[in-house]
Amino acid sequence: MPKMKTNSSAKKRFVLTGTGKIKRKHAFKRHILTKKTTKQKRHLTHPGLIAGVDVKEVRLLLHI
């Protein structure tokens, strides 16, 4: 049986932390930034973690 391929879009979007959690970036930080407040843009800069209900699905995509 051939090796399982890692989902290419998932490996570009998520990174595993040292404790095994999955880090992600926030959406809405790419363009049309003029109408967003400085506070909103600042909070979107910091990485977030995957929600608990999504962890199983993302782990399947990454083969972790």
Side-chain angles (χ1 to χ4, degrees), residues 29-50:
K29 188 71 199 298
R30 291 283 180 181
H31 60 107
I32 314 175
L33 298 173
T34 51
K35 62 176 76 171
K36 295 175 181 125
T37 63
T38 307
K39 180 180 178 180
Q40 186 180 2
K41 290 183 278 192
R42 185 172 62 245
H43 286 303
L44 291 173
T45 299
H46 306 296
L49 293 174
I50 294 293

Side-chain angles (χ1 to χ4, degrees), residues 52-64:
V53 294
D54 298 325
V55 170
K56 185 178 178 183
E57 184 67 28
V58 173
R59 284 188 177 277
L60 284 172
L61 292 172
L62 296 173
H63 299 298
I64 299 171

Side-chain angles (χ1 to χ4, degrees), residues 1-31:
M1 191 166 151
K3 291 181 181 179
M4 295 287 288
K5 285 190 176 181
T6 301
N7 184 285
S8 292
S9 61
K11 69 183 174 187
K12 294 170 190 172
R13 285 173 170 82
F14 305 114
V15 65
L16 202 63
T17 63
T19 56
K21 295 176 183 173
I22 302 170
K23 248 187 342 185
R24 65 173 177 86
K25 290 190 176 187
H26 283 99
F28 308 109
K29 188 71 199 298
R30 291 283 180 181
H31 60 107

